[in-house]
Amino acid sequence: MSQLVHYAQTLLSFVVVLGILVFVHEFGHFIVAKAFKIGVPIFSLGFGPRLLWFKRRETEYRVSAVPLGGYVRLAGDEADEGRTGGPDEFLPRPRWQRFLVFVAGATFNIILAVLVMTAVFTRWGRDEVVRPETFPTVADVVPASPAESVGLRRGDKVLSIGGKDARDQQTQVNEIVLAPDQVKPVEIERDGVRQTVSMPTGRDPIYHLGAPGWRLIQEGGGPPEVEMVLGGDPADRAGILRGDKIVAIEGRAPQGELELKALLETSVGREVALTILRGDRELHIGVTPKDDHGKGKIGVLFAEGNRVHRELSLGGAFVASVQWNVDVTRSVFQTLARLIKREISVRAFSGPIEIARVSREAARGLQSFLSLLALISLQLGVLNLMPIPVLDGGHILILGCEGLLRRDFSEKLKERVMTVGFVFLLAFFGLVIFFDILKAWT
C-alpha cells in the first residue's frame, strides 16, 4: 500500500510540475497570437483525447488524456486544414509577427524562472558558496577504483585537478563529472610533500559521468545540512527533509560531514538517534541505516560546505535570480557541447521518470519545489529555442532562412523538414526514457 502511495505521489508531483510549465509555455504562444488578432481554435494541456473542455468565443480550452505536453492550434496553421484566407489566419501574417508568436512560449518559460527564483531569494535568501581557504581532503577511496590505482589515500589533500584550483566547486564538475573516461593530472599533498598523479576520471554505471572512486570532503562551518533525500531510503521513511541540519547523533555533535558519515557507516541495522535543526525547531528522529556493501547508509546527500547565507531585498533578489538563470543557461550549453563532442553520454540527461522522482522529492518543501520548477522551466525555455525542426527554434530558423531568401518555402518542404526533426526528437527522447528506466533499475 505504501508503495502504491509512493507511485501516486510521484505521478501527481510530475503532472503538477509539467502542467504548470506547459500552461505557461502555451499561454505565451496564446497571448501573443491573441494580441495580433490571430485565431486560436484550441488551447490544450496534454495530447490525445480530450477529458475536460469548455469553449469561450472561438477558442476551445482542453485538458487532454496524455499529460506529456500541450499545444496551441493557430488558425490556418495546419497543412491539411482548409484555409479560407481569412484575416485571423497565421501563415499570411508578416514574418516578424510569426517570429514573436514562436518565441513567446520559451520567453514565458524563461520569465517564469526569473520571477520564481526572485520570489525564492526574497523569501528565503540565498546561500552562496564561498571559496574556502583550505583544500579538499580525500575522505574515502573505493577499492579497485581509478583513484586507488594511482595510489591516492584517505587524508590526501587535493590541490588541483586538470591544472585548476581544487577549492573551486566548479573544478570537480568540469574536470571530473563532465569529463568521463579521461586522464587528468591531480596535484596532491601528503605529509607535507606535493606530488602529481595522472588519474583516470572513470565512469559511473548509471549516468556515465566521471567517477574516479574517491570522495572529497571540504569541511565547512556549522553542522552538516541535507541537500537531497533519496526516495524510499531510511532517511525518507524517517521524515528527514531537505534543509535539515544534523546537529547531533546519539547525543554527540559531529565535527562535520566526514565524522557523521563515519558514525552512520558503523550502525548498519541499528536505529540511531539524530538531533535535527529544522528552521527554529529542534527535532529528535530515529533512523536505521541500511546495509550498503557493509556500510550504513541512510540515503541523503549533504550540501556543499563553506556557505554564507544572505538575506536579500527584492531588488537584490532579482539581480541574484538573473545571475542564477545565466549560470544555469551556461551550464546547459556546456553540457550540450560535451554531448555533441561525445564527451558525455545521453544517460546524463533526465527524462520524465527521473523528473517525476525528483518532483516528488521537491514537493516535500515549498522552497525546493519552486527551485525545481524554475530550473526545469528555464531548461525547457532554452532547449525549445534550439534550431531543431518541430521545436520553436526550428520554426524560427525556417523563418530566418525565408527572410534571407525573401520567399516562403513550400508546404511540402516544411513538412519534410518537420518530419525529420520529429523523428530525431522521438529517437532522442526514446533514448532518454530508455536510460531513465535502466537508471531506475540500476
Side-chain angles (χ1 to χ4, degrees):
M1 187 65 179
S2 61
Q3 196 71 7
L4 183 62
V5 172
H6 173 85
Y7 288 137
Q9 290 175 336
T10 300
L11 179 61
L12 179 61
S13 302
F14 174 68
V15 170
V16 169
V17 170
L18 191 64
I20 294 172
L21 299 182
V22 169
F23 173 79
V24 170
H25 184 91
E26 298 304 329
F27 183 75
H29 294 309
F30 172 83
I31 198 67
V32 174
K34 285 288 190 181
F36 290 132
K37 302 189 185 317
I38 297 169
V40 184
I42 299 173
F43 185 119
S44 177
L45 293 180
F47 298 102
R50 61 185 186 178
L51 300 178
L52 303 170
W53 69 93
F54 69 91
K55 190 166 185 177
R56 185 177 180 184
R57 296 178 183 172
E58 84 280 2
T59 304
E60 179 181 279
Y61 301 87
R62 298 179 179 178
V63 175
S64 299
V66 184
L68 294 177
Y71 63 93
V72 167
R73 174 75 61 81
L74 301 175
D77 188 34
E78 296 294 324
D80 58 352
E81 188 176 342
R83 300 194 183 105
T84 63
D88 66 338
E89 290 189 352
F90 176 68
L91 288 180
R93 294 305 181 96
R95 291 191 187 93
W96 67 270
Q97 290 188 10
R98 285 183 279 163
F99 167 80
L100 290 178
V101 171
F102 282 133
V103 82
T107 300
F108 270 54
N109 279 129
I110 295 171
I111 291 173
L112 175 65
V114 172
L115 293 179
V116 167
M117 289 310 297
T118 298
V120 168
F121 291 145
T122 301
R123 170 64 179 81
W124 289 283
R126 186 182 190 186
D127 287 336
E128 298 177 2
V129 178
V130 297
R131 189 166 116 173
E133 295 182 2
T134 59
F135 291 94
T137 302
V138 177
D140 290 306
V141 177
V142 176
S145 66
E148 186 188 57
S149 70
V150 296
L152 291 182
R153 303 175 191 169
R154 182 172 179 170
D156 288 344
K157 286 185 179 179
V158 180
L159 308 180
S160 69
I161 306 171
K164 297 180 180 178
D165 195 328
R167 290 174 295 182
D168 189 336
Q169 64 170 348
Q170 283 301 116
T171 294
Q172 283 193 61
V173 174
N174 294 331
E175 299 300 314
I176 298 292
V177 177
L178 295 179
D181 293 326
Q182 297 183 30
V183 177
K184 296 286 184 177
V186 177
E187 184 184 9
I188 65 170
E189 181 181 305
R190 179 185 300 163
D191 299 327
V193 178
R194 295 191 176 196
Q195 57 181 295
T196 300
V197 297
S198 296
M199 184 185 73
T201 56
R203 183 176 67 171
D204 80 278
I206 299 178
Y207 297 95
H208 287 192
L209 296 172
W214 66 9
R215 183 166 62 88
L216 299 184
I217 291 294
Q218 180 64 68
E219 294 293 346
E225 181 177 334
V226 176
E227 177 73 18
M228 179 179 290
V229 181
L230 305 181
D233 276 3
D236 182 40
R237 295 194 296 270
I240 295 174
L241 303 178
R242 180 180 185 271
D244 285 348
K245 296 179 179 179
I246 301 178
V247 296
I249 174 172
E250 297 290 334
R252 173 181 175 180
Q255 296 304 304
E257 178 190 343
L258 181 59
E259 183 179 354
L260 174 63
K261 286 189 173 182
L263 293 171
L264 290 171
E265 286 173 356
T266 60
S267 304
V268 177
R270 179 179 66 84
E271 183 176 275
V272 294
L274 299 180
T275 303
I276 287 176
L277 190 63
R278 181 177 297 166
D280 297 327
R281 293 185 299 153
E282 188 172 274
L283 306 174
H284 299 279
I285 294 178
V287 61
T288 304
K290 67 178 182 179
D291 188 347
D292 185 359
H293 300 94
K295 295 182 178 180
K297 304 288 185 182
I298 63 173
V300 299
L301 300 177
F302 290 100
E304 182 80 25
N306 300 286
R307 297 189 302 170
V308 175
H309 182 77
R310 303 187 192 281
E311 297 295 332
L312 300 173
S313 64
L314 180 60
F318 176 76
V319 172
S321 174
V322 171
Q323 184 59 56
W324 181 89
N325 279 270
V326 169
D327 291 342
V328 173
T329 301
R330 184 184 298 116
S331 177
V332 168
F333 283 111
Q334 287 174 345
T335 303
L336 287 173
R338 290 176 184 267
L339 177 67
I340 293 170
K341 292 188 288 186
R342 301 178 65 184
E343 293 180 357
I344 61 173
S345 166
V346 177
R347 294 176 69 116
F349 289 79
S350 295
I353 296 175
E354 277 211 288
I355 292 174
R357 179 184 62 78
V358 175
S359 298
R360 176 183 177 273
E361 300 303 326
R364 298 172 69 99
L366 181 59
Q367 181 182 2
S368 57
F369 175 79
L370 292 175
S371 298
L372 176 70
L373 185 71
L375 177 65
I376 299 178
S377 185
L378 177 63
Q379 292 177 338
L380 178 63
V382 171
L383 294 177
N384 241 285
L385 293 176
M386 299 296 291
I388 300 173
V390 178
L391 297 181
D392 294 332
H395 290 286
I396 293 170
L397 176 64
I398 290 175
L399 279 178
C401 292
E402 289 177 338
L404 290 174
L405 296 175
R406 299 182 181 276
R407 65 178 178 84
D408 286 353
F409 295 147
S410 68
E411 290 297 332
K412 193 170 184 179
L413 176 60
K414 289 182 183 179
E415 284 180 22
R416 288 177 178 174
V417 171
M418 292 299 165
T419 300
V420 171
F422 178 75
V423 171
F424 170 78
L425 281 183
L426 197 63
F428 180 79
F429 285 117
L431 269 177
V432 170
I433 293 172
F434 172 73
F435 286 128
D436 258 9
I437 297 171
L438 282 184
K439 287 182 281 189
W441 286 94
T442 301

